[in-house]
Amino acid sequence: QRQNVKAQVQAQIEYYFGQDNLIRDTFLRSKMNENGWVPVALIAGFRRMLNLTTDMSIVLEAITSMPKLELDAQGAHVRLKENWQAWLLSGGGARSAGAGRG
């Protein structure tokens, strides 16, 4: 049962971080910090994820076994291992802090 749920969680996370979704998903991209990291808790809190599991250990296990993704040292943030820079929204990050005011 756990392995089945883990496989479903992996498929959903793979979808979220797939090119076809990231092209359109400005919400997820807006949650990336300047280094491309997204809080795992944010991903785990998406409705489709909650329908699969509320067990964070399954979510973390799924992410760590996905070759395209990596967790930070604390296990709190996830990002693409390669080419994460391509998905940062322009205007995001530390360099443009304060831009867009007024």
Side-chain angles (χ1 to χ4, degrees):
Q1 176 66 21
R2 184 180 176 92
Q3 286 302 316
N4 187 37
V5 171
K6 180 182 156 189
Q8 291 176 311
V9 167
Q10 280 179 307
Q12 192 60 46
I13 295 172
E14 202 166 275
Y15 168 79
Y16 291 141
F17 283 93
Q19 182 173 335
D20 290 346
N21 183 63
L22 286 174
I23 287 169
R24 303 185 312 272
D25 196 340
T26 53
F27 174 78
L28 180 57
R29 291 169 63 192
S30 75
K31 297 302 180 184
M32 292 178 178
N33 72 11
E34 65 274 10
N35 294 312
W37 295 105
V38 178
V40 173
L42 177 80
I43 303 293
F46 289 162
R47 190 180 76 249
R48 287 185 180 163
M49 291 289 288
L50 290 171
N51 288 339
L52 295 172
T53 186
T54 55
D55 186 340
M56 187 64 98
S57 71
I58 292 177
V59 175
L60 292 170
E61 207 177 289
I63 292 169
T64 56
S65 59
M66 296 174 71
K68 290 183 178 179
L69 298 179
E70 61 184 344
L71 280 173
D72 67 2
Q74 295 75 35
H77 296 84
V78 60
R79 74 174 178 188
L80 289 165
K81 278 187 183 171
E82 297 179 4
N83 207 29
W84 53 263
Q85 300 92 333
W87 301 109
L88 297 179
L89 291 176
S90 58
R95 284 172 296 168
S96 61
R101 287 190 185 153

